[in-house]
Amino acid sequence: MDCLEKEVFTQRAEPASGNLYVIGTPIGNLADLSPRAKLILKEVSIIACEDTRHSGQLLKKLSIQNSLLSFHKHNTKSRIPKLLKDLKSGLSIGLISDAGLPGISDPGEELIKAAKETGCNVICIPGPCAAITALVSSGLPSNRFCFEGFLPIKNKDRKKALSAIALEKRTTVLYEAPHKLIKLLEELSEYCGNSRPIEVARELTKRYEEHVGSTVGEVLKYFQKTKPRGEFTIILGGYSSNSNENSSIDIAELKEKMLSLIKDGSTVSFAAKEISSKSGLSKRFLYSLMNKNQTSNSQEENKEAK
Ligand code: SAM
């Protein structure tokens, strides 16, 4: 037994009866699984996992035999009461996802909430998480950040999220599938401008790990030439980090600036260009801040004044 394994056995008796263990599993490199995670996977009464075949492979590689129960977004409602009953009856449950930490863009959150509400102990066995791994290796500010994960698919919700990201001062962490990466980068270019700092992390912890930066424009060009393959986490610098403007600027203030220029006779397009050159925000994003009514009212006022 090496010193890590000894530590696992001497710290405390695990797994304890009636506890839910949220277990981080590797995001690519099997060696990132901790000895403690391995022990819990071996000893819990049952393992709830996203895909029994996928997790079966993991257990096989670790030479662990244990019962797996599928727990994914399509059976959450029916599985939670069963799992809570098991916990109450004294079983210990391990919760894992296909990779990384359950609950981070993966099933788990609802089970964890329900377990807490029914008074069960929830213990996290920390492990790899693509968001945090990408963030700390990006070189972008990590003292304050926000996690967006996958952006909404619905057009209206997506635009709302992108507008908020455009003015977000903290570093933003995003997940995206390879076949949608270019579309996301185009949207970031449209909403945040080409000069916004960014670092795209590909295949973290794996053999072909790659980090591509350093501005939205450069990264977009790179992936237009190099087909995106593998898994991607995107770390986007905050708004103030590439702007010389007052960093307390917000949407209301931007709208006010746009309206003031329009009232003074500028077209919406010219106003957007002016503010874009000062703020580093994209023209299209600024244009999108002006809803049609507001713009036409100001332009009408403008005509009347003339
Ligand atoms: N719960 C997981 C975690 O803690 O990292 C994330 C699950 S989410 C469904 C999967 C997304 O995470 C992928 O689409 C990709 O954006 C990101 N991801 C997972 N593994 C990655 C890796 N090795 N390199 C870069 N990004 C990764």
Side-chain angles (χ1 to χ4, degrees):
M1 194 184 285
D2 66 23
C3 66
L4 282 180
E5 284 164 342
K6 260 189 215 148
E7 175 79 3
V8 171
F9 284 103
T10 50
Q11 276 289 328
R12 55 175 149 170
E14 288 183 317
S17 157
N19 278 6
L20 172 66
Y21 291 92
V22 181
I23 307 167
T25 59
I27 55 170
N29 190 326
L30 189 62
D32 290 334
L33 188 94
S34 75
R36 186 174 170 217
K38 188 176 170 189
L39 175 91
I40 304 281
L41 285 171
K42 189 166 161 230
E43 300 293 336
V44 278
S45 321
I46 188 166
I47 300 168
C49 62
E50 262 188 288
D51 178 344
T52 51
R53 267 191 304 178
H54 182 93
S55 296
Q57 291 295 319
L58 174 72
L59 295 194
K60 199 171 163 198
K61 283 183 199 156
L62 300 169
S63 309
I64 291 176
Q65 283 192 327
N66 206 339
S67 346
L68 292 168
L69 178 78
S70 71
F71 178 74
H72 47 70
K73 59 182 176 193
H74 304 295
N75 68 4
T76 308
K77 290 271 172 305
S78 62
R79 283 288 195 240
I80 288 180
K82 186 220 168 323
L83 291 166
L84 291 181
K85 206 168 146 206
D86 288 347
L87 287 169
K88 285 284 165 201
S89 74
L91 298 187
S92 55
I93 296 176
L95 171 68
I96 58 174
S97 62
D98 283 350
L101 268 181
I104 305 296
S105 295
D106 266 346
E109 198 179 333
E110 287 177 52
L111 174 63
I112 294 164
K113 183 169 176 269
K116 298 288 276 189
E117 280 167 1
T118 44
C120 297
N121 262 339
V122 177
I123 306 285
C124 178
I125 312 296
C129 172
I132 300 298
T133 310
L135 174 69
V136 298
S137 47
S138 70
L140 288 165
S142 55
N143 55 342
R144 292 178 72 235
F145 64 92
C146 64
F147 176 71
E148 285 287 335
F150 295 98
L151 288 185
I153 294 170
K154 268 189 172 168
N155 210 8
K156 195 173 155 211
D157 298 341
R158 195 169 176 95
K159 282 187 172 161
K160 206 169 155 195
L162 283 160
S163 299
I165 289 171
L167 290 182
E168 176 57 64
K169 291 174 206 99
R170 294 167 296 174
T171 303
T172 297
V173 183
L174 296 153
Y175 285 156
E176 192 50 284
H179 64 285
K180 294 186 187 163
L181 181 74
I182 291 181
K183 177 180 179 248
L184 175 67
L185 293 172
E186 283 168 353
E187 288 169 326
L188 293 177
S189 150
E190 181 180 321
Y191 281 78
C192 308
N194 275 333
S195 55
R196 179 75 67 101
I198 194 172
E199 174 99 347
V200 174
R202 185 176 87 87
E203 295 286 84
L204 288 161
T205 78
K206 302 184 197 174
R207 186 169 181 181
Y208 297 108
E209 173 164 347
E210 185 185 14
H211 298 262
V212 184
S214 58
T215 65
V216 169
E218 286 164 357
V219 170
L220 176 59
K221 258 191 209 154
Y222 176 85
F223 285 109
Q224 278 164 341
K225 279 191 205 138
T226 318
K227 190 174 180 208
R229 285 181 217 275
E231 299 202 86
F232 291 90
T233 297
I234 297 97
I235 308 295
L236 183 74
Y239 169 59
S240 55
S241 61
N242 76 334
S243 164
N244 299 323
E245 279 261 297
N246 176 1
S247 66
S248 65
I249 201 157
D250 62 13
I251 289 197
E253 200 177 328
L254 286 170
K255 274 185 179 171
E256 222 171 85
K257 284 188 178 182
M258 289 282 291
L259 284 172
S260 140
L261 285 173
I262 292 162
K263 271 186 189 159
D264 288 347
S266 302
T267 59
V268 183
S269 150
F270 182 80
K273 197 173 160 197
E274 274 290 292
I275 296 175
S276 164
S277 68
K278 288 180 187 144
S279 65
L281 291 165
S282 83
K283 276 186 283 178
R284 282 182 78 168
F285 168 63
L286 291 161
Y287 202 95
S288 76
L289 290 180
M290 299 285 90
N291 70 40
K292 280 184 188 127
N293 287 342
Q294 257 178 331
T295 316
S296 51
N297 285 346
S298 312
Q299 283 174 338
E300 281 308 314
E301 262 178 49
N302 210 9
K303 270 187 211 158
E304 275 169 28
K306 281 179 182 171

